[in-house]
Amino acid sequence: MKTTTLWRPTGPEELDLVRDSDWRAWPPRLPDQPIFYPVLNEDYAIKIARDWNVPRSGVGYVTRFEVRSDFLERYPVQQVGGQTVLELWVPAEELPEFNANIVGQIEVVHEFRP
């Protein structure tokens, strides 16, 4: 089975919920969060965690995880800025199916503090 590596910048509240899932699933979106957006490169995830999550929450994390590549084909890559600012937009209602296609565990690869 072929997998694709994705990253997700996150704050402490979301990370606590991932931990509660035994590092295997992302929590449901809040009502004002219609999409779940994992990113396609580590540098972009680092920038968001460091420059957005730290000022907002006091800490920012970058997570890495694997998802079945064939499942991800349904989500076109979204370029939301420069050439390497790439995301997948997963509708909130599809997040349970997305989580079911995660292979292995979600892992924290970076932590940033002020």
Side-chain angles (χ1 to χ4, degrees):
M1 163 190 3
K2 185 175 178 200
T3 63
T4 299
T5 302
L6 297 174
W7 288 265
R8 170 92 175 149
T10 187
E13 298 87 7
E14 185 175 56
L15 192 66
D16 285 344
L17 296 171
V18 171
R19 184 180 295 111
D20 290 346
S21 78
D22 197 28
W23 302 98
R24 297 197 180 275
W26 293 100
R29 302 292 81 202
L30 299 173
D32 64 336
Q33 298 172 324
I35 61 170
F36 172 75
Y37 63 94
V39 303
L40 276 69
N41 67 70
E42 187 174 17
D43 289 339
Y44 177 39
I46 287 170
K47 181 173 176 45
I48 295 170
R50 186 188 57 223
D51 298 349
W52 195 83
N53 291 108
V54 171
R56 182 174 176 264
S57 303
V59 62
Y61 301 97
V62 174
T63 61
R64 179 177 58 209
F65 57 104
E66 300 289 325
V67 179
R68 291 174 48 119
S69 298
D70 59 344
F71 173 78
L72 292 178
E73 290 175 3
R74 68 174 69 184
Y75 303 108
V77 173
Q78 305 293 325
Q79 185 173 356
V80 296
Q83 189 174 1
T84 62
V85 183
L86 305 173
E87 302 173 348
L88 297 180
W89 291 355
V90 178
E93 62 273 10
E94 295 178 21
L95 190 54
E97 187 178 8
F98 180 91
N99 283 333
N101 282 279
I102 292 175
V103 177
Q105 292 185 308
I106 299 163
E107 61 182 323
V108 176
V109 294
H110 298 286
E111 179 179 323
F112 299 97
R113 295 185 180 270

